[in-house]
Amino acid sequence: MCRVALDRLHYRYPGAADDALRDVSFEFPAGQRIALLGRNGSGKSTLVLHCNGLLRPRRGTVRLDGQPVAYDRRSLLRLRRHVGVVFQNPDEQLFSASVAEDISLGPLNLGLSQAEVRDRVQIAAALCDIEPLLERPTHALSGGEKTRVALAGILAMDPDILIADEVTNSLDPWMRQQVLVIFERLVAQAKTVMLATHDLELARRWADRVLVMEAGRLVANGRPAQVFADPLVRSLLALDDRNAGSTHPKES
């Protein structure tokens, strides 16, 4: 597995008065479940967008196997080969007419042969239990089906790290459990899964490690019992405790 590390990242959106990320450092451990917590606007989504190069830090460095990531097309493709991101709204990631075509986009961009692309599509579809959907048009899918197809499209690139940004928030309990089963299959393959979520109970029972963001800073990083015992963290997440289980708007 490759090593991906964030080294003292700072980022400010154009026109903003304050940094959305402030001195954030973190190295992804292999084969772990990571819950990323924080109130709306705390910087969770901004952090996620830096992990596979969708945003470039104002200061600081994203490192892949110890080397700073360059932001040319070749370097970004290599980073995204190792770090895949699934967003809360799957419509942001579904571009092709059929499910099979959509899942094949990532492997094709890697320059794989047609035979290998077909194999990747079948493996990802089986992993996400969507084999009967492969010939379906993407616009005819339910919300939960779209989420699993978007997930399969990322998994077809065989990333070492999967980051899911709020993907479980809008799913019904059965579909949420199905997505968590997929995550378990990945962890069993020594891959790392990071889930940005507002669901504190899910973080407590599912994660090996919990990260907490506040005002653009990473204020906690540890095992769930350790993090949730911290009075500062409990205070920061009090709003989320009251809203646990509800649907939250996606942070900007």
Side-chain angles (χ1 to χ4, degrees):
M1 174 177 166
C2 71
R3 291 187 299 113
V4 176
L6 314 178
D7 184 9
R8 308 198 69 173
L9 298 190
H10 293 256
Y11 183 78
R12 181 176 297 178
Y13 286 100
D18 298 312
D19 284 352
L21 289 185
R22 308 177 188 212
D23 202 29
V24 174
S25 296
F26 176 71
E27 183 167 344
F28 284 88
Q32 286 198 8
R33 309 166 190 84
I34 304 169
L36 177 61
L37 305 178
R39 294 179 286 192
N40 288 332
S42 63
K44 298 192 307 297
S45 291
T46 304
L47 178 63
V48 166
L49 294 173
H50 279 78
C51 291
N52 76 340
L54 290 169
L55 288 179
R56 183 173 184 169
R58 185 167 65 93
R59 295 201 313 272
T61 307
V62 178
R63 299 185 186 276
L64 179 60
D65 285 334
Q67 298 301 311
V69 170
Y71 287 82
D72 57 87
R73 184 181 183 278
R74 181 178 179 181
S75 299
L76 288 174
L77 189 61
R78 180 168 179 260
L79 178 63
R80 291 165 189 170
R81 154 68 180 82
H82 293 287
V83 183
V85 176
V86 183
F87 296 105
Q88 181 178 13
N89 181 3
D91 289 322
E92 296 177 2
Q93 293 183 255
L94 302 181
F95 303 107
S96 299
S98 76
V99 169
E101 289 173 0
D102 207 276
I103 298 173
S104 70
L105 284 178
L108 286 171
N109 285 334
L110 294 177
L112 303 180
S113 68
Q114 290 290 338
E116 192 165 1
V117 169
R118 285 194 296 271
D119 287 344
R120 292 282 190 99
V121 170
Q122 290 296 327
I123 291 169
L127 187 62
C128 296
D129 294 322
I130 55 169
E131 293 158 294
L133 305 179
L134 285 174
E135 301 309 315
R136 291 265 299 275
T138 53
H139 67 80
L141 302 174
S142 69
E145 289 169 342
K146 286 181 177 180
T147 294
R148 285 193 287 169
V149 170
L151 181 55
I154 297 300
L155 297 183
M157 298 181 72
D158 194 27
D160 296 309
I161 299 167
L162 174 73
I163 303 176
D165 190 11
E166 311 276 6
V167 298
T168 59
N169 283 11
S170 60
L171 299 177
D172 63 45
W174 182 87
M175 187 60 68
R176 183 181 307 174
Q177 185 58 38
Q178 298 310 300
V179 170
L180 293 176
V181 167
I182 295 168
F183 291 168
E184 289 304 301
R185 294 171 182 168
L186 297 176
V187 172
Q189 298 172 16
K191 297 180 183 291
T192 295
V193 178
M194 175 186 278
L195 175 62
T197 182
H198 287 278
D199 189 334
L200 300 187
E201 181 55 34
L202 173 61
R204 286 188 181 101
R205 63 182 170 81
W206 174 80
D208 302 306
R209 179 170 297 273
V210 173
L211 309 181
V212 181
M213 296 290 297
E214 172 65 18
R217 296 186 183 277
L218 183 59
V219 297
N221 173 7
R223 299 189 64 81
Q226 169 194 353
V227 169
F228 287 118
D230 186 324
L232 174 61
V233 171
R234 294 173 66 86
S235 174
L236 290 176
L237 296 178
L239 286 174
D240 291 332
D241 266 324
R242 289 197 294 270
N243 293 326
S246 65
T247 300
H248 297 259
K250 184 176 173 63
E251 70 180 46
S252 60

